């Protein structure tokens, strides 16, 4: 509910939020590869949703705006745009000899650009089958500037600045130098009117027309947080309208920035600016979105929202913005996807419904058919823990309740197209001066994943039209044959303009890197437009439905209610299981103050060669036959897993990633763990329990058979690699020290009712063998296992990695780069105890692989 209960007061809001989570209402959903209703994918209520969510949107493509760019003129825009003295409808030519025929650009004709193209050919349905396309546009609100007046002396709601860069000088001696440039961030700068340069506000008009055609508009901040942002700060006369609103946090006057984690960036080298006194020396610090505090985020987001809702003060039609109702601004995306916990808490305070900028799907067991559905941040962001565990700097730890996340899951390039796509990517990165590592190719060719943003796909990987269509078709098919997770495609209308191609990609700084798509003819703005149009028609032909972000969240809430309505018979009595028992396997030390079912509290010291410490309760199969959800209250300094262990020792788990680490959301040491409030997990559906990350699967999975659960574990987790503290560089080496984790888990409940009936598209049972690769008729197979020997039939001689895991996922023994001959091979083991084990074999110089469960008697 977006700003609908402000009058009720903050205290009431807090109570409603807490009770809402406990009662399973509106803004709650646990992250899961299964739909929240737990329904089969062929149920008509489970639709394949597709979203085009745009941001930046800096080129209107409208009459009366500037299309041309001439670097040699020493002017950012040449002033050769439409001459309105001849009347609207005059076309504009882009005179670039390398293009062959000059482009004839028109707002409504065949060659449309940017937002005008999105309006006429998508939103109005001009070039797609099935009518207009609902879409979401997250706007850079600094685009909305005054609508008339001379270009070289302009002000806006945010003020003005005087540039220190000669690129802002005008073209001819007869024209005076700029004295004021309106603070804005965009491309529709100037056009000719009666021979004089003017500044338009056509982006405002196109935005209004898109809204009239059903588009949703959200917030992408003021100015993209660029290091050369003109948003005023410091002692500027307009500081109170800019950075001064949040005490200049994130603003710097210098061309070199040192991040709080110790890296030094030289803006001149980073962005191709000139060095020395004439270089740009004002704007955001590098990676500002990962460094600024919650209150700074709030000031920045609110300033942008003020312009979206502004209705007075000197712009076109006397409007200072879009005149939106604040209750109709639902979504947000951070510039460059730079986020931290402070940003999410700011969104919560400002009552935003959803964010749509987190990248998901790179985990090894995510294959396109089992991506995560939209979720709320009540239990943290799993990816933040994954990154932290791998040794990356993580800027997300604690998270607010009730903010939805529409993740950007990866596209999956088909195997036949991967070599071509990789070669383009390699060439682009080399030309940009950041060549890829020698081992990256082999790893990428295994999965073919790319973040589902048009920049990553079209520009960074230089896809051709054929590669793009094959990738989008493959990605949609994987979803529709799998779990039908919504397909969110992030895009920028800027990339669908000739201006972007010629002024940005073909600039001297970019042309040998990002510009290779244009230079080598892999794609251009028309290719990208045609691809987006083609996919709408293709997806609709397969039964997919295009929606806005708000429409998707509304549908999600309906599914959540269906799922939570299953819990209608109270809770299951687990008192016969006794209390939580500490599993000392692996030598983790624990200091627990309580181990009862309803109060597991204390700390563990997880040894350097261990990944978690487990506490478990055991019971007979059938005890949880009517289980629907699990819930608990908790706080923790590390992420934790809740695990279900079945009779056959198959493990399913969810991760509670919300945590109170050493660095809190405002970057200060968190010394108040003991005084921190418990977080309610919400109702976690049994269908949300996923396979562990290291379990290979080729398709979707079956739901948990709750009648076969014999054990539940709570496992505080330790990072796999040395995790950096906030002020350090990333580390990617195996953890060399013990890891201390505090925890408190209370009011643990298993809810009963009507069990989930979702059985998915099952290709393999959980303990089956991955189909081996045939080689000369001989295949890789398990010949036998005992307490002291593992026997493997090897189809092709070579080096193999062999690993043996316990049913809990603990690595017990491994053989790295083991040379094995064709035929029967025997490996000596360290006296395994009786039980079930998981054997994983991966060929290093062959394509053979094996995953097999085995029983030692």
């Amino acid at each position: 509910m977006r700003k609908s209960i402000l009058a009720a007061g903050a205290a009431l809001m807090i109570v409603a939020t807490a009770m809402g989570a406990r009662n399973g209402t509106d803004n709650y959903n646990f992250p899961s590869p299964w739909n929240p209703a737990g329904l089969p994918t062929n149920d008509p209520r489970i639709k394949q949703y597709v979203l085009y969510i745009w941001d930046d949107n800096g080129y209107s493509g409208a009459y009366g705006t500037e299309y041309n760019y001439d670097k040699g003129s020493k002017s950012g825009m040449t002033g050769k745009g439409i001459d309105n003295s001849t009347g609207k409808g005059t076309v504009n030519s882009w005179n670039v000899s390398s293009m062959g025929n000059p482009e004839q650009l028109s707002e409504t004709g065949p060659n449309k650009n940017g937002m005008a193209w999105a309006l006429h050919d998508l939103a109005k349905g001009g070039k797609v089958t099935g009518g207009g396309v609902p879409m979401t546009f997250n706007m850079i609100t600094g685009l909305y500037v005054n609508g008339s007046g001379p270009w070289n002396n302009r002000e806006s709601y945010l003020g003005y600045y005087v540039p220190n860069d000669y690129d802002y000088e005008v073209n001819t001696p007869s024209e005076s130098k700029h004295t004021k440039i309106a603070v804005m961030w965009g491309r529709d700068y100037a056009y000719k009117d009666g021979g004089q340069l003017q500044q338009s506000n056509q982006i405002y008009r196109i935005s209004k027309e898109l809204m009239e055609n059903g588009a949703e508009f959200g917030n992408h901040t003021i100015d993209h947080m660029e290091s050369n942002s003109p948003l005023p700060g410091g002692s500027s006369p307009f500081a109170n309208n800019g950075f001064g609103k949040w005490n200049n946090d994130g603003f710097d006057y210098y061309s070199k920035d040192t991040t709080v984690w110790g890296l030094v960036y030289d803006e001149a080298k980073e962005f191709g600016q000139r060095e020395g006194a004439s270089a740009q020396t004002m704007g955001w610090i590098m990676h500002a979105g990962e460094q600024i505090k919650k209150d700074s985020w709030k000031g920045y987001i609110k300033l942008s929202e003020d312009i979206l809702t502004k209705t007075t003060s000197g712009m076109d039609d006397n409007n200072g913005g879009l005149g939106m109702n604040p209750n109709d601004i639902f979504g947000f995306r951070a510039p460059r996807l730079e986020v931290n916990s402070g940003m999410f808490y700011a969104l919560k305070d400002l009552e935003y419904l959803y964010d749509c900028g987190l990248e998901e799907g790179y985990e090894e067991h995510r294959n396109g058919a089992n991506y995560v559905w939209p979720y709320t941040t009540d239990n943290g962001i799993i990816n933040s823990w994954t990154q932290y565990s791998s040794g990356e700097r993580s800027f997300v730890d604690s998270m607010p309740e009730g903010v939805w996340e529409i993740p950007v899951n990866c596209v999956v390039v088909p195997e036949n197209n991967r070599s071509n796509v990789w070669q383009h990517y390699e060439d682009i990165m080399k030309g940009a001066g950041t060549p890829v590592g020698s081992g990256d190719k082999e790893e990428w060719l295994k999965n073919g994943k790319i973040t589902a943003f048009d920049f990553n796909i079209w520009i960074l990987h230089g896809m051709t039209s054929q590669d793009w269509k094959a990738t989008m078709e493959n990605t949609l098919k994987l979803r529709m044959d799998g779990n039908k997770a919504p397909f969110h495609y992030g895009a920028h209308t800027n990339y669908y303009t000739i201006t972007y191609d010629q002024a940005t990609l073909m600039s001297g700084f970019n042309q040998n890197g990002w510009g290779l798509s244009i230079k080598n003819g892999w794609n251009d703005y028309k290719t990208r437009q045609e691809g987006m149009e083609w996919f709408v028609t293709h997806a609709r032909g397969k039964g997919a439905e295009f929606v806005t972000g708000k429409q998707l969240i509304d549908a999600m809430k309906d599914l959540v209610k269906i799922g939570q309505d299953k819990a209608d018979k109270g809770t299951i009595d687990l008192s016969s299981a006794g209390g939580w028992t500490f599993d000392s396997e692996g030598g983790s030390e624990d200091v627990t103050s309580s181990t009862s079912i309803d109060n597991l509290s204390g700390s563990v010291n997880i040894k350097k060669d261990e990944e978690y410490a487990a506490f478990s309760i055991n019971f007979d199969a059938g005890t949880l036959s009517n289980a629907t959800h699990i819930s608990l209250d908790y706080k923790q300094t590390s992420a934790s897993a809740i695990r279900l262990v079945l009779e056959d020792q198959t493990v399913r788990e969810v991760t509670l990633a919300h945590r109170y680490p050493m660095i809190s959301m405002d970057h200060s040491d968190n010394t108040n763990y003991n005084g921190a409030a418990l977080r309610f997990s919400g109702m976690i559906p049994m269908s949300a329990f996923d396979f562990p990350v290291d379990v290979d699967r080729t398709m979707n999975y079956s739901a948990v058979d709750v009648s076969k659960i014999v054990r539940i574990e709570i496992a505080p987790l330790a990072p796999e690699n040395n995790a950096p503290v906030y002020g350090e560089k990333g580390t990617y080496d195996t953890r060399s020290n013990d890891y201390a984790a505090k925890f408190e888990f209370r009011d643990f409940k298993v809810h009963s009712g009507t069990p989930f009936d979702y059985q998915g598209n099952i290709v393999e049972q959980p303990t089956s063998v991955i189909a081996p690769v045939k080689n000369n008729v001989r295949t890789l197979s398990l010949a036998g296992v005992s307490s002291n020997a593992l026997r493997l039939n090897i189809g092709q001689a070579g080096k193999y990695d062999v690993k043996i895991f316990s049913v809990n996922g603990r690595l017990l023994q491994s053989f790295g780069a083991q040379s094995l001959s064709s035929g029967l091979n025997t490996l000596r083991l360290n006296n395994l105890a009786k039980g079930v084990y998981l054997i994983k074999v991966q060929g290093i110089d062959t394509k053979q692989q094996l995953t097999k469960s085995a029983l030692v008697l």
Side-chain angles (χ1 to χ4, degrees):
M1 55 189 166
R2 170 74 171 136
K3 295 186 177 163
S4 58
I5 59 171
L6 283 178
L12 177 59
M13 189 185 309
I14 292 172
V15 172
T17 299
M19 292 302 294
R22 290 195 178 278
N23 293 329
T25 57
D26 274 331
N27 292 321
Y28 172 80
N29 187 43
F30 197 88
S32 171
W34 285 272
N35 65 76
L39 292 170
T41 53
N42 60 1
D43 188 289
R45 290 169 290 184
I46 306 302
K47 301 178 181 179
Q48 180 60 66
Y49 293 112
V50 181
L51 300 91
Y52 279 173
I53 299 186
W54 307 85
D55 63 61
D56 294 357
N57 307 304
Y59 299 94
S60 69
Y63 291 128
T65 57
E66 176 58 73
Y67 295 119
N68 290 25
Y69 183 89
D70 182 1
K71 187 70 173 177
S73 70
K74 297 185 179 181
S75 174
M77 293 292 175
T78 65
K80 297 178 181 176
I82 305 295
D83 188 339
N84 280 340
S85 62
T86 63
K88 289 186 176 181
T90 305
V91 296
N92 185 23
S93 296
W94 187 288
N95 296 308
V96 181
S97 59
S98 62
M99 297 181 60
N101 296 321
E103 292 292 296
Q104 300 298 313
L105 300 176
S106 171
E107 181 176 335
T108 57
N111 293 334
K112 292 180 281 292
N113 268 242
M115 294 181 72
W117 161 73
L119 168 65
H120 294 287
D121 291 349
L122 293 179
K124 290 185 175 182
K127 286 192 176 180
V128 298
T129 300
V133 183
M135 297 178 292
T136 300
F137 293 80
N138 292 317
M139 291 301 298
I140 295 287
T141 53
L143 296 165
Y144 300 119
V145 298
N146 300 16
S148 61
W151 165 238
N152 64 340
N153 189 15
R154 303 295 300 119
E155 296 184 24
S156 75
Y157 173 65
L158 296 173
Y160 69 89
Y161 73 107
V162 178
N164 62 346
D165 193 316
Y166 71 76
D167 276 353
Y168 287 100
E169 294 175 6
V170 293
N171 298 324
T172 64
S174 62
E175 293 177 307
S176 62
K177 194 172 183 176
H178 292 295
T179 56
K180 295 178 181 178
I181 294 182
V183 168
M184 61 182 296
W185 191 95
R187 302 297 192 268
D188 278 0
Y189 280 13
Y191 66 99
K192 286 277 189 172
D193 187 1
Q196 297 295 316
L197 276 172
Q198 302 288 319
Q199 185 167 337
S200 74
N201 195 15
Q202 298 286 25
I203 291 177
Y204 165 81
R205 177 174 62 82
I206 298 294
S207 297
K208 287 293 240 184
E209 290 187 46
L210 279 164
M211 293 173 70
E212 290 168 1
N213 278 272
E216 173 192 333
F217 272 65
N219 193 334
H220 194 47
T221 73
I222 293 292
D223 63 347
H224 216 259
M225 285 185 146
E226 299 295 348
S227 62
N228 60 350
S229 168
L231 186 61
S235 58
S236 160
F238 289 89
N240 290 335
N241 286 344
F243 289 90
K245 283 183 175 291
W246 53 90
N247 300 318
N248 290 331
D249 181 24
F251 182 81
D252 200 344
Y253 281 104
Y254 304 100
S255 61
K256 290 186 178 180
D257 291 323
T258 302
T259 66
V260 294
W261 54 89
L263 294 183
V264 179
Y265 290 91
D266 188 321
E267 296 176 18
K269 294 180 180 178
E270 196 79 16
F271 298 107
Q273 300 176 9
R274 288 184 313 284
E275 299 187 47
S278 63
Q280 181 69 49
T281 55
M282 61 182 296
W284 288 96
I285 58 177
M286 295 287 292
H287 297 281
E290 295 164 343
Q291 301 184 67
I292 64 173
K293 299 178 181 180
K294 169 191 168 183
D295 287 345
S296 303
W297 270 115
K298 283 183 67 174
Y300 187 46
I301 295 169
K302 185 65 169 63
L303 178 58
S304 182
E305 184 178 309
D306 287 346
I307 297 179
L308 286 174
T309 59
K310 193 172 177 58
T311 57
T312 59
S313 183
M315 296 196 184
D316 286 359
D317 301 324
N318 294 318
N319 283 288
L322 290 182
M324 294 183 67
N325 185 323
N327 292 337
D328 293 334
I329 305 172
F330 304 105
F332 178 82
R333 178 181 285 158
R336 296 185 309 279
L337 310 186
E338 290 180 5
V339 305
N340 61 14
S341 290
M343 185 203 83
F344 284 95
Y345 278 95
L347 291 176
K348 173 68 175 180
D349 284 358
L350 294 170
E351 297 185 64
Y352 276 73
L353 179 64
Y354 70 87
D355 171 74
C356 57
L358 292 184
E359 300 168 84
E360 297 266 14
Y362 279 103
E363 297 89 349
E364 185 176 349
H365 73 321
R366 300 280 177 232
N367 52 39
N370 61 348
Y371 283 147
V372 172
W373 281 66
Y375 55 86
T376 54
T377 59
D378 298 57
N379 293 290
I381 303 296
I382 295 177
N383 268 0
S384 70
W385 172 258
T386 302
Q387 292 167 3
Y388 180 76
S389 179
S390 67
E392 296 181 31
R393 288 183 301 273
S394 178
F395 306 98
V396 172
D397 36 53
S398 59
M399 292 292 282
E401 296 172 285
V403 176
W404 282 88
E405 179 62 41
I406 302 177
V408 187
N409 284 304
C410 305
V411 297
V412 182
V413 181
E415 289 190 32
N416 291 341
N417 299 77
R418 288 178 191 173
S419 292
N420 186 56
V421 171
W422 177 265
Q423 188 59 60
H424 288 186
Y425 171 70
E426 194 171 292
D427 292 345
I428 289 168
M429 296 302 287
K430 182 179 179 181
T434 53
V436 296
S438 58
D440 294 344
K441 178 177 181 180
E442 181 179 358
E443 184 65 27
W444 185 82
L445 290 177
K446 292 178 183 178
N447 58 65
K449 294 178 182 178
I450 302 174
T451 297
F453 271 92
D454 49 9
F455 173 81
N456 303 68
I457 297 172
W458 287 115
I459 311 304
L460 200 58
H461 284 81
M463 281 198 185
T464 64
S465 176
Q466 179 182 2
D467 289 332
W468 192 86
K469 289 180 179 179
T471 296
M472 296 294 282
E473 181 177 14
N474 180 59
T475 301
L476 181 67
K477 186 177 189 303
L478 286 170
R479 277 179 164 82
M480 297 194 74
D481 290 346
N483 67 348
K484 287 190 176 178
F487 186 178
H488 169 196
Y489 187 84
H492 310 75
T493 52
N494 297 356
Y495 300 171
Y496 303 84
T497 67
I498 190 173
T499 315
Y500 180 76
D501 284 1
Q502 298 300 323
T504 300
L505 297 183
M506 289 302 291
S507 68
F509 185 64
N510 289 325
Q511 62 178 289
N512 293 323
W514 296 355
L516 289 184
S517 289
I518 307 300
K519 291 180 69 173
N520 294 341
W522 298 333
N523 68 71
D524 61 14
Y525 84 100
K526 283 187 175 180
T527 310
R528 296 171 218 134
Q529 287 183 357
E530 291 166 358
M532 295 289 276
E533 296 160 4
W534 171 86
F535 184 66
V536 172
T537 298
H538 171 78
R540 283 174 165 171
K542 298 296 182 181
E545 180 178 335
F546 282 76
V547 292
T548 67
K550 174 62 163 52
Q551 288 170 338
L552 175 63
I553 300 302
D554 286 344
M556 290 293 300
K557 290 180 179 181
D558 291 340
L559 295 177
V560 169
K561 186 176 187 305
I562 293 172
Q564 296 203 357
D565 282 349
K566 291 178 177 293
D568 57 7
K569 296 181 180 178
T571 59
I572 296 174
D573 184 6
L574 296 175
S575 59
S576 61
W580 296 97
T581 301
F582 178 62
D583 179 4
S584 60
E585 180 183 356
S588 299
E589 299 175 3
D590 95 286
V591 179
T592 50
S593 57
S594 174
T595 57
S596 69
I597 292 290
D598 288 332
N599 182 6
L600 174 61
S601 304
S603 62
V604 290
N605 193 44
I606 304 174
K607 295 298 185 181
K608 62 182 181 181
D609 54 351
E610 301 298 328
E611 296 181 10
Y612 61 88
F615 298 84
S616 63
I617 53 174
N618 298 274
F619 36 79
D620 295 332
T623 302
L624 304 187
S625 292
N626 295 320
T628 63
H629 299 78
I630 286 177
S631 69
L632 71 158
D633 295 321
Y634 68 96
K635 64 178 177 179
Q636 55 192 10
T637 60
S638 180
S640 296
I642 303 176
R643 294 181 177 142
L644 308 177
V645 182
L646 279 60
E647 283 181 305
D648 63 358
Q649 301 304 301
T650 301
V651 178
R652 306 290 282 271
E653 67 182 24
V654 296
T655 301
L656 303 176
H658 169 71
R659 56 198 192 274
Y660 298 90
M662 291 303 295
I663 301 299
S664 65
M665 64 181 181
D666 63 357
H667 309 167
S668 62
D669 288 343
N670 187 338
T671 58
N672 193 32
Y673 168 77
N674 291 332
L678 292 171
R679 171 62 56 90
F680 178 54
S681 69
M683 299 283 279
I684 305 172
M686 302 303 278
S687 64
F689 282 79
D690 196 5
F691 287 99
V693 174
D694 60 356
V695 175
D696 296 315
R697 287 294 175 270
T698 58
M699 275 291 289
N700 203 13
Y701 319 130
S702 63
V704 175
D705 185 344
V706 292
S707 68
K708 296 182 178 179
I709 299 172
V710 295
R711 183 164 72 252
I712 297 177
E713 296 178 350
I714 294 181
L717 303 176
E720 179 180 352
N721 291 335
N722 284 320
V725 297
Y726 199 86
E728 295 179 349
K729 299 179 181 179
T731 59
Y732 302 97
D733 50 342
T734 303
R735 183 165 51 88
S736 56
N737 299 306
D738 295 350
Y739 185 81
K742 295 181 181 179
F743 54 86
E744 184 175 347
F745 304 106
R746 291 180 177 269
D747 202 23
F748 184 89
K749 288 184 171 63
V750 178
H751 301 265
S752 63
T754 305
F756 288 87
D757 55 5
Y758 175 37
Q759 287 298 316
N761 298 317
I762 309 169
V763 172
E764 299 165 344
Q765 294 301 319
T767 58
S768 65
V769 179
I770 291 181
V773 177
K774 291 187 176 181
N775 192 322
N776 297 325
V777 189
R778 306 182 70 176
T779 60
L780 172 63
S781 63
L782 179 63
V785 63
S786 63
S787 63
N788 57 13
L790 172 66
R791 295 176 179 84
L792 297 170
N793 281 317
I794 300 299
Q796 181 180 359
K799 291 183 178 181
Y800 291 80
D801 284 333
V802 182
K803 297 180 180 180
I804 299 149
F805 297 88
S806 70
V807 293
N808 293 330
R810 191 185 305 277
L811 178 62
L812 302 178
Q813 194 169 349
S814 65
F815 303 85
Q818 188 78 15
S819 295
L820 301 178
S821 60
S822 178
L824 183 63
N825 291 254
T826 300
L827 301 176
R828 295 299 173 187
L829 304 181
N830 296 330
N831 296 317
L832 294 180
K834 294 180 180 180
V836 178
Y837 297 89
L838 183 69
I839 316 296
K840 296 186 70 174
V841 184
Q842 176 67 56
I844 296 176
D845 46 12
T846 76
K847 293 184 178 180
Q848 296 202 338
Q849 57 182 343
L850 170 71
T851 300
K852 179 76 172 180
S853 63
L855 178 65
V856 174
L857 300 174

